[in-house]
């Protein structure tokens, strides 16, 4: 999560987007940009740009253009103020909490499978990484010689990227690691949305 946070921050700095004073929205935006941009770049490299995640760049560019402010140049250190560094500890803590929860209920060697979908998705993430073609059928090699088909490949490429970098088990990565990370991002997004409707500091913490 820390890596994705830094990537998202660099994207905001490059696009000269003004930092939002709302802490949860700010952290959520950086994490979301970092996760999707990093995953999309990885998918483009593995598929030679034949990926539906190309749409992420289009949507991201339109969003950054819309949010871009006519403001003087902002130094990069200003995007890493102490309050922002403290705020990123929230999703990290939430992620560790989800990780502990999933790890406990799947405890065992080999660990217990939480759901059969985890088996399918972890297998599929491995196959699209091997063949470099986005396909929903992981069982036959010839399926990976066709054109890319629409599907929710973002988390599958994220799983494959983590497995490639850290050498973790694909099933463990999808079942526990990626679920914990994305759950943390979702929780921060829910906090940010809550701030739009209430000023109850007990619920959404103090600014």
């Amino acid at each position: 999560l820390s890596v994705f946070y830094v990537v998202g921050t660099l994207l905001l700095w490059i696009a000269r987007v003004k930092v939002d004073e709302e802490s949860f929205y700010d952290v959520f935006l950086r994490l979301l940009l970092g996760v999707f941009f990093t995953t999309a770049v990885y998918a483009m490299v593995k598929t030679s740009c034949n990926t539906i995640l190309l749409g992420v760049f289009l949507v991201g560019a339109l969003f950054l253009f819309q949010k871009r402010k006519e403001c003087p140049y902002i130094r990069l250190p200003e995007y890493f103020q102490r309050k922002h560094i403290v705020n990123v500890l929230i999703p990290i803590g939430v992620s560790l909490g989800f990780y502990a929860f999933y790890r406990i209920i799947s405890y065992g060697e080999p660990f217990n499978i939480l759901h059969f979908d985890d088996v399918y998705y972890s297998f599929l993430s491995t196959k699209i990484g091997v063949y470099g073609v986005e396909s929903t059928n992981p069982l036959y090699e010839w399926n990976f010689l066709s054109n890319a088909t629409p599907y929710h490949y973002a988390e599958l490429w994220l799983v494959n990227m983590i497995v490639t970098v850290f050498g973790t088990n694909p099933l463990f990565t999808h079942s526990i690691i990626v679920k914990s990370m994305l759950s943390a991002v979702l929780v921060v997004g829910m906090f940010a949305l809550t701030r739009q409707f209430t000023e109850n500091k007990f619920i959404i913490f103090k600014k």
Side-chain angles (χ1 to χ4, degrees):
L1 283 177
S2 299
V3 174
F4 296 136
Y5 180 84
V6 172
V7 172
T9 300
L10 291 175
L11 290 175
L12 292 178
W13 174 64
I14 293 173
R16 293 180 58 186
V17 175
K18 186 178 181 180
V19 179
D20 199 301
E21 294 300 326
E22 170 52 59
S23 60
F24 289 117
Y25 175 77
D26 179 60
V27 174
F28 176 69
L29 179 60
R30 298 185 194 206
L31 288 174
L32 199 65
L33 287 174
V35 168
F36 278 100
F37 179 81
T38 305
T39 304
V41 170
Y42 179 80
M44 289 175 61
V45 172
K46 297 291 288 188
T47 63
S48 299
C49 294
N50 185 23
T51 172
I52 63 172
L53 293 186
L54 281 173
V56 171
F57 287 96
L58 177 59
V59 175
L62 291 175
F63 173 79
L64 292 176
F65 178 79
Q66 182 181 13
K67 296 288 292 185
R68 183 186 176 102
K69 306 293 184 180
E70 292 297 332
C71 59
Y73 176 77
I74 302 177
R75 296 185 304 110
L76 183 59
E78 295 183 25
Y79 285 86
F80 291 97
Q81 298 179 22
R82 179 179 299 179
K83 64 176 182 179
H84 298 128
I85 302 301
V86 173
N87 289 335
V88 79
L89 295 179
I90 296 176
I92 291 178
V94 173
S95 179
L96 291 176
F98 276 108
Y99 177 87
F101 171 75
Y102 288 128
R103 193 67 181 93
I104 290 173
I105 65 176
S106 65
Y107 181 76
E109 293 295 342
F111 60 91
N112 298 320
I113 297 173
L114 302 181
H115 196 280
F116 177 77
D117 284 354
D118 293 322
V119 178
Y120 172 76
Y121 291 137
S122 61
F123 189 31
L124 184 59
S125 68
T126 300
K127 286 295 186 176
I128 63 176
V130 170
Y131 295 104
V133 176
E134 294 176 342
S135 173
T136 57
N137 192 335
L139 300 180
Y140 304 101
E141 181 175 345
W142 63 268
N143 284 285
F144 293 84
L145 301 179
S146 59
N147 295 325
T149 55
Y151 201 57
H152 52 92
Y153 292 108
E155 85 274 15
L156 301 182
W157 282 118
L158 180 58
V159 170
N160 188 264
M161 179 174 61
I162 294 175
V163 170
T164 301
V165 174
F166 298 102
T168 53
N169 181 287
L171 182 56
F172 178 82
T173 303
H174 186 276
S175 300
I176 298 180
I177 298 178
V178 169
K179 281 186 178 180
S180 301
M181 293 172 53
L182 297 183
S183 296
V185 176
L186 178 62
V187 168
V188 175
M190 292 173 63
F191 281 147
L193 183 62
T194 302
R195 289 303 298 258
Q196 303 299 318
F197 298 99
T198 180
E199 289 296 328
N200 190 322
K201 296 180 180 180
F202 179 77
I203 298 177
I204 39 70
F205 305 116
K206 187 176 181 179
K207 284 186 178 181

